Amino acid sequence: MKALDLGNRKVFSTVFKLTVPAMIAQFVSVLYSIVDRMYVGNIAGIGDVALTALGVCAPVATIISSFGSLVGLGGAPLFAMSMGEGDETKAKRILANALVMLVVLSVVVAALVFAFMDPLLTTFGASEATFGYAKQYLSVYTAGTLFSLISVGLNQYVVAQGYSGIGMATTLIGAFANIALDPLFIFVFKMNVTGAALATVISQFMSFVFVVVFLLLKGTKCRLSFGGYDIRIMMRIIRMGISPFLIVATDSIIIIISNISLKKYGGVEADEWISSLTVVQAFLSVITMPMLGISTGSQPVISFNYGARNLSLVRKGEKCILGMCVAFTVIMFALSFVVAKPFVSLFTDNATVAERSVWGIRVFMIGIIPLAFQYAFVDGLTALGQPKFAVALSMTRKLGFYLGATLILPALLDVRSVFYAEPIADIGGALLSTVVFLVVFPKILKKREQLAVSEEENGETK
């Protein structure tokens, strides 16, 4: 159980060893939703309606899991910086406070979803035909909120210590369990949509047990402890985590607004359009989630070396991360022309939904390569402890470019134009993020360098 040396001067090797397991873990985590949708879409007699219901639930489920990102991706850079500074006591306190935050958030979020479930589903695009199936799925899924948030949140602290393989195992355990349990509950036990949700909750529970046990083991570099709770530490975690939280949460808001637009402008074909968008979003997640594995999985390298004042390694690390993101999106862009039709066929045999889904995938791919710059630079700024820039850039892309296009285009053109909001946001957001990063990044490192010189001079004076 050996952790990576995050201060290793062979930066590409360290980034590669961190990101590959993170990419695999994120890719496999996508299977949670894809497998659910694939099996549900093939339920005899109700497949298309049930698939649309899952599309309605997807934003709510994503919002729930985003609270795990708030604490996990918010505290992990602070945790890694503390490790880089050699302050293990501080790192342990951050981890202990993160656990408490995850437990409290789990209870609060689950209670709110149960309290407002009916209006949420109606607002998010559930029709009379899909409402019942959507409520069945979301009710069971919400019951497992504690397992979901803790497994997602604490796993970031495992990776931040350099245990990339363990971090990957946490996700793989849950994903493979979900793949195995889905057909059992859906088809053998004939639980349909409820079975898909139950399989997901059981899988999340298994990941939850694994990550908690690992963090309690004696051999772990920084073990999970209890006590030392401090509201100031919690607020720092929230400030750092607000960017990744908003990135994930606003993804859900965008899907919700898109579903509403499709429902409004799609007429009698609205449910079919929502089904198509559900499939297209599933395909997009196959690209964006592994890329998120690159940009967030490699954050410990940036944060650790920033804390240790190894600024040359910070520069090299950011270049490696950007290069890997770009290379990955280029490959996936090319593959999309080959795999789009086979991918869509896994979800539906409805010819209209399938045709529109393949077309939608082509549209979404227009801006996928520029999106690599957005991910690398925004998460790089978060790793450097600069959430204000990351939040501003993320919100501009989502609530400026994407939301604006989603609301304006279908009113001026037709329902198909809703799909073009994605490439507009990806290209616009990438251009803005690149300009801001090129201006801000050198200033952040220069300030850190000056601080290091000042501390050394004060130390010599003393």
Side-chain angles (χ1 to χ4, degrees):
M1 191 171 60
K2 186 179 179 180
L4 290 173
D5 176 11
L6 298 177
N8 187 348
R9 303 200 69 82
K10 295 180 179 179
V11 179
F12 178 77
S13 174
T14 306
V15 169
F16 186 81
K17 290 175 182 177
L18 276 173
T19 56
V20 170
M23 285 177 68
I24 294 171
Q26 290 288 0
F27 174 76
V28 175
S29 73
V30 175
L31 294 180
Y32 272 118
S33 59
I34 288 181
V35 169
D36 279 349
R37 296 175 189 183
M38 183 178 71
Y39 284 125
V40 167
N42 286 281
I43 297 174
I46 64 168
D48 288 339
V49 177
L51 179 61
T52 304
L54 260 65
V56 172
C57 292
V60 188
T62 303
I63 290 173
I64 291 173
S65 66
S66 67
F67 286 93
S69 299
L70 171 67
V71 179
L73 294 176
L78 298 172
F79 178 83
M81 287 180 194
S82 298
M83 298 284 284
E85 293 166 355
D87 194 340
E88 187 176 332
T89 301
K90 184 179 178 182
K92 282 188 174 183
R93 291 187 69 196
I94 292 171
L95 181 55
N97 279 269
L99 176 60
V100 170
M101 292 175 70
L102 289 166
V103 172
V104 172
L105 284 171
S106 298
V107 175
V108 173
V109 171
L112 289 173
V113 173
F114 275 120
F116 298 101
M117 187 172 296
D118 287 7
L120 279 174
L121 292 175
T122 302
T123 303
F124 292 177
S127 65
E128 185 177 341
T130 61
F131 181 86
Y133 295 114
K135 187 170 183 178
Q136 290 173 31
Y137 184 89
L138 189 58
S139 296
V140 176
Y141 184 91
T142 304
T145 298
L146 178 69
F147 309 136
S148 173
L149 264 60
I150 290 181
S151 61
V152 169
L154 290 188
N155 202 39
Q156 295 300 326
Y157 296 87
V158 172
V159 176
Q161 297 183 55
Y163 296 112
S164 55
I166 298 297
M168 178 178 67
T170 302
T171 306
L172 293 183
I173 287 170
F176 287 137
N178 193 47
I179 293 170
L181 293 174
D182 256 334
L184 180 66
F185 287 114
I186 294 172
F187 300 113
V188 178
F189 296 156
K190 301 186 184 302
M191 297 177 69
N192 295 332
V193 173
T194 302
L198 183 58
T200 299
V201 170
I202 293 173
S203 303
Q204 290 170 342
F205 173 75
M206 295 173 70
S207 293
F208 156 81
V209 171
F210 181 81
V211 73
V212 170
V213 169
F214 176 79
L215 285 172
L216 290 172
L217 291 176
K218 287 185 178 180
T220 304
K221 187 187 296 185
C222 186
R223 297 172 61 194
L224 185 62
S225 59
F226 305 92
Y229 306 122
D230 189 334
I231 191 66
R232 291 171 298 181
I233 293 176
M234 295 181 188
M235 293 306 299
R236 286 192 69 197
I237 290 174
I238 290 173
R239 284 196 296 270
M240 285 289 289
I242 198 68
S243 175
F245 169 76
L246 289 175
I247 290 172
V248 177
T250 50
D251 276 341
S252 300
I253 294 172
I254 291 303
I255 295 173
I256 292 164
I257 299 299
S258 297
N259 285 347
I260 292 172
S261 293
L262 293 173
K263 188 177 180 180
K264 179 178 179 180
Y265 297 101
V268 296
E269 298 179 329
D271 281 353
E272 289 185 338
W273 279 112
I274 293 174
S275 291
S276 297
L277 182 62
T278 300
V279 176
V280 174
Q281 290 286 356
F283 186 87
L284 181 66
S285 67
V286 173
I287 301 175
T288 56
M289 292 301 286
M291 186 159 65
L292 191 66
I294 298 174
S295 61
T296 61
S298 54
Q299 279 183 340
V301 173
I302 303 295
S303 299
F304 181 92
N305 287 296
Y306 184 72
R309 300 178 179 83
N310 297 325
L311 302 186
S312 64
L313 301 188
V314 173
R315 295 186 185 92
K316 290 179 182 178
E318 187 59 39
K319 289 178 182 178
C320 291
I321 294 163
L322 176 61
M324 291 185 70
C325 285
V326 171
F328 177 71
T329 52
V330 168
I331 293 170
M332 295 307 294
F333 174 80
L335 283 177
S336 68
F337 291 93
V338 178
V339 303
K341 287 184 178 179
F343 180 87
V344 170
S345 68
L346 295 173
F347 294 84
T348 182
D349 56 6
N350 183 309
T352 301
V353 172
E355 181 183 353
R356 290 173 178 171
S357 298
V358 172
W359 168 81
I361 288 172
R362 301 278 190 264
V363 173
F364 270 43
M365 290 301 102
I366 292 172
I368 199 65
I369 296 174
L371 187 60
F373 290 81
Q374 172 85 11
Y375 272 59
F377 292 152
V378 168
D379 287 331
L381 290 169
T382 301
L384 290 169
Q386 303 294 325
K388 60 183 180 181
F389 293 109
V391 170
L393 292 171
S394 298
M395 291 304 95
T396 301
R397 173 177 171 259
K398 297 290 182 64
L399 301 184
F401 294 116
Y402 203 129
L403 185 60
T406 302
L407 294 175
I408 295 171
L409 290 180
L412 297 176
L413 302 171
D414 60 19
V415 66
R416 296 168 69 91
S417 62
V418 171
F419 287 77
Y420 284 96
E422 178 70 38
I424 288 172
D426 293 347
I427 295 170
L431 289 172
L432 180 61
S433 295
T434 300
V435 171
V436 171
F437 186 85
L438 291 176
V439 173
V440 170
F441 183 65
K443 293 181 179 179
I444 295 171
L445 297 192
K446 185 177 180 180
K447 185 176 180 180
R448 185 67 171 174
E449 192 171 26
Q450 290 172 342
L451 179 62
V453 171
S454 176
E455 288 178 348
E456 287 177 4
E457 289 177 349
N458 289 337
E460 289 176 2
T461 302
K462 290 176 183 180

